[in-house]
Amino acid sequence: RARCAQASRRQVNLIEERVAVNIRSMVFLLVGAMLLMPAVLRAQNSWLWQNPKPQGNNIESVDPVNASLVFAAGGAGTLLKSTNSGNSWEVRQIVDDVSITLHAVHFPSPTVGWVGGSEGLLLSSSDGGSHWFVRSTPEPARTYRAIASTGPNNGFAVGDGGTILRTRDGGLSWG
């Protein structure tokens, strides 16, 4: 019995020593991490968007106007413009309400462009997408999902509920 008690006591001492070593190791790692944390936080004071590039909103529509000029539209009122075949993009929010999704973008010419979106939104631009103007429609609650044209003056916008609108004046009016 005495030998058994001594062996058990040695095992208990050995276990206590291992626990103490593990605790010291954990404290050392914790203190080290706490000392390094400010340096890590200081290194991340200028965040850059990494992926997906150039932004993170869903893209609903893309329109290559010519070999170098491309427009894309999507969530949160985002319009993208590339003047180098999509190698780089200019990101613009063309509506203030980020709950609006732009479902359709179409440029029948490099200067004339139309965008259709949720909540009855139809926009037109006559300067290559630099400035956009809201256009009234007879169906203000519809979501416009596609736009096509037969030239810079004549176009069609289609949307929910079977809506088909037409413009004959470059997107100034739709009916």
Side-chain angles (χ1 to χ4, degrees), residues 2-153:
R3 282 186 195 173
C4 214
Q6 280 181 338
S8 293
R9 187 67 194 144
R10 269 188 253 139
Q11 287 177 342
V12 167
N13 287 342
L14 187 59
I15 291 172
E16 287 176 347
E17 287 176 23
R18 287 182 182 165
V19 167
V21 167
N22 285 340
I23 289 174
R24 281 193 299 270
S25 296
M26 285 191 292
V27 168
F28 177 75
L29 289 173
L30 184 60
V31 169
M34 290 172 59
L35 290 173
L36 290 174
M37 189 61 69
V40 170
L41 292 176
R42 274 193 312 276
Q44 296 179 3
N45 64 355
S46 59
W47 290 89
L48 298 174
W49 190 271
Q50 292 296 315
N51 193 28
K53 287 227 178 208
Q55 52 83 51
N57 297 314
N58 290 337
I59 300 299
E60 302 285 329
S61 178
V62 64
D63 186 27
V65 181
N66 56 40
S68 59
L69 184 60
V70 183
F71 287 89
T78 301
L79 182 77
L80 303 152
K81 178 181 181 179
S82 175
T83 56
N84 58 9
S85 303
N87 291 313
S88 63
W89 295 89
E90 173 190 340
V91 181
R92 297 188 56 214
Q93 301 300 129
I94 62 170
V95 294
D96 293 330
D97 186 352
V98 295
S99 69
I100 290 179
T101 296
L102 305 178
H103 291 283
V105 60
H106 181 64
F107 273 76
S109 76
T111 56
V112 175
W114 307 314
V115 170
S118 57
E119 300 182 31
L121 183 71
L122 272 177
L123 303 169
S124 72
S125 174
S126 59
D127 60 4
S130 295
H131 299 92
W132 291 90
F133 300 94
V134 175
R135 301 302 178 194
S136 62
T137 67
E139 300 285 345
R142 302 285 187 204
T143 293
Y144 297 104
R145 300 194 179 274
I147 301 176
S149 71
T150 59
N153 291 319

Side-chain angles (χ1 to χ4, degrees), residues 144-167:
Y144 297 104
R145 300 194 179 274
I147 301 176
S149 71
T150 59
N153 291 319
N154 298 302
F156 298 89
V158 297
D160 291 353
T163 302
I164 301 175
L165 300 180
R166 181 177 186 175
T167 183

